[in-house]
Amino acid sequence: MQRIFLIVLCLITITLSAQNNAIAPGEKLTYTASYNMSGILTDIAQVTMEASAVKTSKTTLLKLQCKATSYSKWDNFFKIRDLYESYVSPKSLTPYLYNRDINEGGYYKNMKYTFSHKTNTVKSVQKKKPNKVENKTVSINTGTKDIVSTLYSIRLYDYASMTIGARKSLPIIFDREEVKGQITYLGKETISTAIGKKECYKLAIGSSQAGVLQGKNSNFLWLTADENKIPVYGKFKIPVGNGELKIKSATGLKN
């Protein structure tokens, strides 16, 4: 079960250059993460996604934050305390800084990225226990983003103009390496959620990285078919099992 949240975030993303007309400071999305345990789909953690404005000496950035926290009754079995943050351009969601601090069942990792889009490089700093710091500069392709900024960027895409079956490839920096993912548009589908019945864009997701997602037609994401395009439901299958992500609440939406 280690790094399940990281894998889900990594593989439901798409790189875009569209302008941001869907996400504003003050937005907060809350989800329940479920995992198949002994054949029973069980709620194990809460996931929150928040956007806020951060002023610097030169500009104002949009801070995108994702947290995953296991419910207390599961902490003794598999404690999750994950934090992901990306500081991006409010208009394009181009990332400048990224921070990841995760603790999953005793597996710990802290990673920071500083993006240089002019040179297509990322300076990374990884903290390891005990008191060890590792610095490394990684070359990236144009348009490559971190996990969080690309997760939000899927909401900028004009799915209404896509034909069913259209595919998009996506470059994501993942553990200091570029991962190639793929997303396929499957059309519209209306589903019932905790925030009401929603007409959604349905997407299939996949990866070229062996051993991450499993099987065909096993990994899907549903985005509301409106101007906000918020993720309301996701299902995935990975080497150690399968699970779901279901929305609980959505506040502070831009549209």
Side-chain angles (χ1 to χ4, degrees):
M1 290 174 62
Q2 286 186 351
R3 301 193 299 171
I4 290 174
F5 181 58
L6 175 62
I7 292 171
V8 173
L9 284 182
C10 177
L11 293 167
I12 60 176
T13 57
I14 184 171
T15 301
L16 304 168
S17 59
Q19 293 297 297
N20 175 23
N21 59 4
I23 302 144
E27 179 186 275
K28 182 176 181 179
L29 309 176
T30 305
Y31 300 87
T32 297
S34 305
Y35 184 73
N36 193 328
M37 303 178 69
S38 302
I40 301 174
L41 200 61
T42 305
D43 295 344
I44 62 169
Q46 177 170 287
V47 176
T48 59
M49 299 174 62
E50 296 186 68
S52 59
V54 175
K55 291 185 177 181
T56 71
S57 59
K58 296 181 179 180
T59 188
T60 298
L61 299 177
L62 190 62
K63 178 183 177 181
L64 306 174
Q65 184 182 83
C66 299
K67 289 183 179 181
T69 304
S70 54
Y71 295 121
S72 58
K73 65 180 180 180
W74 297 110
D75 281 351
N76 290 333
F77 173 67
F78 192 84
K79 185 176 181 178
I80 299 172
R81 296 293 186 273
D82 291 353
L83 171 66
Y84 301 79
E85 298 172 315
S86 186
Y87 295 80
V88 304
S89 161
K91 294 182 179 180
S92 65
L93 303 192
T94 299
Y96 297 104
L97 299 171
Y98 166 79
N99 176 55
R100 167 186 164 206
D101 194 281
I102 66 170
N103 191 332
E104 300 180 359
Y107 176 86
Y108 170 82
K109 178 174 284 189
N110 178 272
M111 184 80 77
K112 298 181 185 297
Y113 294 155
T114 302
F115 286 82
S116 175
H117 297 288
K118 291 183 178 180
T119 61
N120 281 350
T121 58
V122 170
K123 292 183 179 180
S124 66
V125 179
Q126 180 176 349
K127 295 181 181 179
K128 298 181 178 181
K129 292 182 177 180
N131 301 321
K132 183 179 179 181
V133 177
E134 182 178 88
N135 296 278
K136 185 177 181 181
T137 298
V138 181
S139 296
I140 60 174
N141 290 307
T142 300
T144 298
K145 296 183 179 181
D146 63 75
I147 296 165
V148 177
S149 59
T150 46
L151 172 60
Y152 275 87
S153 291
I154 66 171
R155 296 166 58 187
L156 309 188
Y157 200 79
D158 183 12
Y159 293 101
S161 68
M162 293 180 64
T163 58
I164 294 176
R167 296 179 179 180
K168 297 286 183 180
S169 60
L170 47 134
I172 308 161
I173 183 168
F174 175 81
D175 280 349
R176 295 173 168 174
E177 296 182 1
E178 280 196 342
V179 176
K180 292 183 179 179
Q182 180 175 276
I183 190 166
T184 305
Y185 175 60
L186 302 178
K188 290 184 177 181
E189 183 175 305
T190 299
I191 63 173
S192 296
T193 76
I195 59 173
K197 185 173 287 187
K198 298 293 182 181
E199 183 181 40
C200 297
Y201 299 118
K202 183 179 179 181
L203 312 174
I205 54 177
S207 172
S208 61
Q209 185 176 357
V212 179
L213 293 180
Q214 300 291 302
K216 294 183 178 180
N217 299 322
S218 299
N219 307 283
F220 301 99
L221 182 69
W222 285 257
L223 307 178
T224 56
D226 54 27
E227 293 183 354
N228 293 310
K229 300 187 186 76
I230 62 171
V232 290
Y233 179 52
K235 59 188 300 186
F236 59 91
K237 186 177 181 181
I238 58 178
V240 293
N242 61 283
E244 295 182 352
L245 195 67
K246 298 173 288 186
I247 197 162
K248 290 175 60 179
S249 64
T251 58
L253 300 180
K254 182 173 183 177
N255 303 295

